[in-house]
Amino acid sequence: MPAEAPSQSQPSRKAAMLTESMREKIRAFFPRYPTKRAVTLPALHIVHEHYRCVPLRAMHEIAELLEIAPAEVHDTMSFYGFFPQAPLGDVRVWVCRSISCMLRGGDELLGHACDKLGVKPGETTPDGKLTVEFAECLGICDHAPAALADDGRVFGPLDEAGVDAMLEELKRGRKDDEGPHV
Amino acid sequence: MATFEPVLSRNWNVPDARTLKVYESRGGYQAARKALTTMDPDAVVAVVKDSELRGRGGAGFPCGLKWTFLPKGRTETLMCVNGDESEPATFNNRYLMELDPHMFLEGILISCFATRAATAYVYLRYEYINAYKILETAIAEARAAGHLGKNVYGTGFDLDVWLHRGAGAYICGEETGLIESLEGKRAWPRIKPPFFPAVDGAFHKPTVVNNIETLCCVPHVIERGADWFKSIGVPKSYGPKLYTVSGHVEKQVCVELPMGVTTRELIDVHGGGVWKGRKAKAAVPGGISMGLLTADEFDVPLDFESIRKTGCLGLGTAAVTVLDDQTSIVDYLHNTCRFFSHESCGQCTPCREGTNWFDRTIRRFKRGGGRIEDLDVMLHMAENMGIIPGTTICGLADGAAWPIKNAIAKFRGELEDYIKTHQTPGAGPTKLQRDIIAGQVVDLAAIRNAVPAPPPPAAALHSPGRPPA
Ligand SMILES: Cc1cc2nc3c(=O)[nH]c(=O)nc-3n(C[C@H](O)[C@H](O)[C@H](O)COP(=O)(O)O)c2cc1C
Ligand code: SF4
Ligand code: FES
């Protein structure tokens, strides 16, 4: 960045996106790794969990904290299709389209879920409750055709009625504290 | 063979087996105590080497041998546990972590002791949200009980285990992609040589990368000895193995069996047969990267060596997916091509462009614009991309090529029939493409000004009834 760049392009300290508690959480990862850069993914996850996205400004602040260039954080962040720039719905649900699920109708069920909600894969419902995405194998093929919510709930084997029930259930919100599913 | 006693899954049906208390009550951490308090690290390596335990992550590399590649006299070693498990149809690592997390930690403990690693990173795919929670709890329990942390069992050996969560990229399962991702970068696999992880791995330190199931075998090898391990399975592929069966079967399951069972046994005995009373047409032997078996090849043992005789790439993750007789091989290829074009990291041209081109070609087949000669072009491309022909950095490209090679070798007739019977006007090649195929001189100026060519007739090129050229 040229030295005479206007100051407003620098993230201002006053309106920081990373709260002190988020910074604390990020710093707590430092002792685990030989470099601060290794904390990139954990930091992105912390921000993502809080905002349900990683805005560009937050990315700058992560870079500052990790003492690396913003471009380096952006490079990593953009490689993984995981971190959106605009907030996701309250619940993100992945519908699997890989082999075992596809064979049992996964692609059609994704289409059904999208039709039902009036969105395309990757979009969020207008009420902000649900984001539906396709995913490659989620490692829950014993439930194929399967879907996974980002609070850990596993759904499947699904059929159209099962998808409808799943969407109803997910619209009621997250269940992060529910125990493990096996 | 003596009756087979499952060990990897022995606690799966025990109530509360995830807790340290129950795990210890069933003899848990005894193998770790034995190794740490009565054995020298090199002696542990020697036992694992003698057992001929081969890596369960896909490549089947001998585990003990890999450990001996670490430089002598090193001052630090890192352990990276590969918990990225993203090969389609594979879920055995998830069972191990969710159902018996302490066995996994015990495996890490012994393996780190053997390789003198004081830090272990478990690279866990993000989607394993429940496994993450379970492991966090288990690590805290193990640490509080002195199985991890400083001065384990008073031996002076220290070990920290950290979970590192991925962000939804298949390529993070490739060991050097994993290392790059761990370092906070994009998961671009490294060129080997010069960077062999054992010498120059994560953070430029000597690094061991092992799969979860591989490490879960280690406590049992220590407890029962190398001879016990080698008494299970078939020559060159010893020990117990977790097979997963999914797709067109009645029951989609993960079962522990001696290495070398057949696809037929997995389908008929463990999967409850092909679903809906149908017959199987084919099966994927070990994750989609490994290729395709025809129903006639179901009696070939699924071990590291035998499976290669069918033209498949290898045993992979031993994840069997069954395709019934109503499944089109074009749909199968559509799925594999879509997967690999989505997951290629984009670093090597043959892989980045090739996987994408395969994907577009198969979609053209489905739109009704396939040509018989596409099959030969696909085959040629498939034979020229990957680390086996030596044109790419990692094995993802081989995995992308294998389904195509196997499908064309084993189901060429069906593919040709599909192309012939799926011709849609307008979906075939453009005038420019047809001119190039015909070897005609193309007038570039004319193309730039040309209005779109009229749709070619349905009988373009090799469609039925067309006289040979
Ligand atoms: C494209 C690609 C993806 C891979 N994915 C995984 C994976 O998800 N899990 C895994 O354990 N190994 C995976 N591997 C194999 C690893 O590179 C490596 O061989 C393995 O983790 C070594 O452990 P092992 O010797 O215990 O099997 C993958 C390899 C390639 C080429
Ligand atoms: S072969 Fe494909 S996935 Fe592997 S490094 Fe090259 S481009 Fe990336
Ligand atoms: S193929 Fe869908 S979860 Fe594995």
Side-chain angles (χ1 to χ4, degrees):
Chain A
M1 193 184 289
E4 59 278 5
S7 61
Q8 63 263 33
S9 77
Q10 290 284 352
S12 99
R13 266 269 168 231
K14 267 182 219 142
M17 293 208 83
L18 264 56
T19 61
E20 196 41 49
S21 96
M22 287 157 82
R23 283 165 197 274
E24 267 319 303
K25 274 194 204 161
I26 294 172
R27 283 192 207 103
F29 276 87
F30 288 169
R32 298 187 181 186
Y33 306 95
T35 66
K36 286 188 179 166
R37 187 174 185 181
V39 182
T40 306
L41 274 183
L44 288 167
H45 280 308
I46 288 166
V47 173
H48 182 261
E49 227 162 69
H50 189 88
Y51 288 113
R52 308 284 297 151
C53 65
V54 184
L56 223 53
R57 277 265 305 285
M59 185 199 82
H60 273 265
E61 292 174 30
I62 291 174
E64 222 182 309
L65 206 60
L66 305 189
E67 296 168 32
I68 55 178
E72 290 176 305
V73 181
H74 189 259
D75 188 69
T76 302
M77 174 176 129
S78 57
F79 181 82
Y80 305 90
F82 186 88
F83 305 103
Q85 302 241 310
L88 293 166
D90 299 336
V91 181
R92 183 185 206 175
V93 60
W94 290 289
V95 182
C96 177
R97 66 172 194 182
S98 285
I99 190 87
S100 302
C101 291
M102 175 283 276
L103 288 170
R104 291 171 151 246
D107 286 46
E108 290 76 14
L109 293 173
L110 173 66
H112 178 75
C114 288
D115 289 348
K116 194 89 188 170
L117 297 171
V119 296
K120 292 203 207 60
E123 289 180 354
T124 302
T125 52
D127 60 7
K129 285 195 168 148
L130 266 182
T131 303
V132 186
E133 293 177 9
F134 71 78
E136 298 299 353
C137 180
L138 295 160
I140 46 175
C141 332
D142 45 343
H143 300 272
L148 174 75
D150 69 343
D151 56 11
R153 274 180 286 172
V154 170
F155 298 90
L158 292 167
D159 52 14
E160 291 198 353
V163 169
D164 295 347
M166 171 183 85
L167 296 178
E168 281 312 309
E169 161 108 35
L170 292 177
K171 276 188 201 157
R172 283 187 223 122
R174 304 180 66 83
K175 282 198 178 162
D176 287 290
D177 299 325
E178 204 172 78
H181 183 96
V182 176
Chain B
M1 201 197 300
T3 49
F4 173 67
E5 178 199 343
V7 290
L8 297 171
S9 58
R10 69 191 188 104
N11 295 331
W12 289 3
N13 293 321
V14 176
D16 295 323
R18 287 191 193 105
T19 60
L20 180 61
K21 209 171 128 215
V22 173
Y23 183 68
E24 280 179 336
S25 75
R26 294 177 56 80
Y29 287 107
Q30 289 307 322
R33 271 184 204 281
K34 175 176 166 188
L36 267 69
T37 58
T38 69
M39 293 169 81
D40 182 67
D42 291 337
V44 179
V45 175
V47 175
V48 173
K49 204 171 158 191
D50 287 347
S51 75
E52 296 181 38
L53 164 62
R54 293 174 68 170
R56 298 330 199 200
F61 196 83
C63 177
L65 184 64
K66 177 157 43 181
W67 292 355
T68 63
F69 294 160
L70 292 160
K72 296 260 172 304
R74 62 191 181 277
T75 52
E76 203 178 344
T77 316
L78 297 177
M79 167 70 72
C80 289
V81 187
N82 196 338
D84 194 57
E85 190 166 67
S86 313
E87 179 70 27
T90 310
F91 50 96
N92 49 18
N93 289 182
R94 190 186 104 239
Y95 270 57
L96 288 167
M97 288 186 286
E98 292 189 351
L99 296 174
D100 204 350
H102 283 288
M103 185 173 79
F104 173 40
L105 292 178
E106 184 172 2
I108 296 178
L109 174 57
I110 299 172
S111 307
C112 286
F113 173 73
T115 55
R116 300 175 159 88
T119 311
Y121 299 105
V122 179
Y123 190 102
L124 192 62
R125 66 177 301 193
Y126 186 85
E127 292 82 353
Y128 281 178
I129 297 165
N130 293 319
Y132 173 75
K133 293 180 193 166
I134 291 166
L135 284 177
E136 284 270 86
T137 311
I139 290 171
E141 271 185 312
R143 190 176 267 277
H147 298 300
L148 300 175
K150 291 261 173 285
N151 194 15
V152 180
Y153 309 145
T155 56
F157 176 70
D158 304 334
L159 177 62
D160 285 320
V161 177
W162 305 118
L163 301 180
H164 188 95
R165 304 182 80 180
Y170 171 67
I171 197 59
C172 294
E174 198 281 340
E175 56 187 4
T176 56
L178 182 150
I179 287 172
E180 289 282 306
S181 178
L182 178 70
E183 291 182 358
K185 304 178 204 157
R186 56 166 83 174
W188 270 12
R190 294 177 179 173
I191 298 174
K192 295 146 274 191
F195 297 111
F196 283 111
V199 180
D200 186 349
F203 310 102
H204 293 299
K205 297 178 201 297
T207 303
V208 186
V209 185
N210 271 130
N211 170 264
I212 289 173
E213 190 183 344
T214 313
L215 296 187
C216 286
C217 290
V218 171
H220 304 289
V221 171
I222 296 303
E223 186 186 319
R224 299 164 191 237
D227 290 339
W228 162 80
F229 195 79
K230 290 183 72 174
S231 72
I232 301 166
V234 295
K236 294 193 177 171
S237 303
Y238 299 111
K241 178 81 195 82
L242 293 177
Y243 289 89
T244 58
V245 194
S246 59
H248 291 156
V249 280
E250 285 293 339
K251 284 186 294 176
Q252 305 186 97
V253 288
C254 174
V255 280
E256 180 178 356
L257 294 165
M259 194 59 107
V261 297
T262 63
T263 309
R264 193 174 310 283
E265 180 185 336
L266 284 173
I267 298 173
D268 294 346
V269 179
H270 305 283
V274 181
W275 77 341
K276 302 182 180 176
R278 294 182 193 163
K279 285 198 170 58
K281 176 192 264 184
V284 174
I288 59 171
S289 300
M290 296 300 127
L292 198 62
L293 290 170
T294 65
D296 297 336
E297 294 165 332
F298 283 1
D299 292 314
V300 176
L302 291 168
D303 64 61
F304 291 112
E305 305 299 325
S306 314
I307 192 71
R308 297 218 174 108
K309 295 184 197 134
T310 62
C312 289
L313 182 51
L315 180 64
T317 54
V320 172
T321 305
V322 181
L323 280 64
D324 71 17
D325 54 2
Q326 300 189 15
T327 309
S328 162
I329 295 299
V330 173
D331 285 339
Y332 156 79
L333 281 181
H334 176 240
N335 191 272
T336 67
C337 294
R338 178 174 72 179
F339 176 81
F340 289 106
S341 75
H342 187 254
E343 299 298 341
S344 167
C345 83
Q347 211 180 170
C348 323
T349 309
C351 174
R352 179 187 62 241
E353 303 300 321
T355 52
N356 195 277
W357 182 85
F358 284 137
D359 186 39
R360 280 179 293 139
T361 304
I362 295 292
R363 276 190 278 142
R364 177 157 54 74
F365 281 22
K366 289 183 64 101
R367 279 199 309 276
R371 289 169 285 147
I372 300 293
E373 54 266 47
D374 286 328
L375 296 177
D376 290 319
V377 182
M378 288 176 76
L379 201 57
H380 180 75
M381 291 253 308
E383 275 164 3
N384 285 290
M385 61 185 259
I387 38 178
I388 291 175
T391 56
T392 62
I393 294 172
C394 91
L396 182 140
D398 302 79
W402 237 267
I404 292 167
K405 288 198 229 183
N406 283 176
I408 295 179
K410 300 179 185 184
F411 291 96
R412 188 172 188 120
E414 180 183 332
L415 293 170
E416 288 186 359
D417 285 347
Y418 183 96
I419 293 170
K420 288 176 190 161
T421 52
H422 288 73
Q423 289 292 320
T424 307
T430 61
K431 176 170 185 318
L432 172 63
Q433 288 167 332
R434 277 182 289 129
D435 285 351
I436 293 171
I437 293 163
Q440 279 168 17
V441 179
V442 178
D443 179 357
L444 291 173
I447 292 168
R448 209 173 302 138
N449 300 324
V451 286
L461 299 165
H462 284 282
S463 43
R466 182 176 183 270

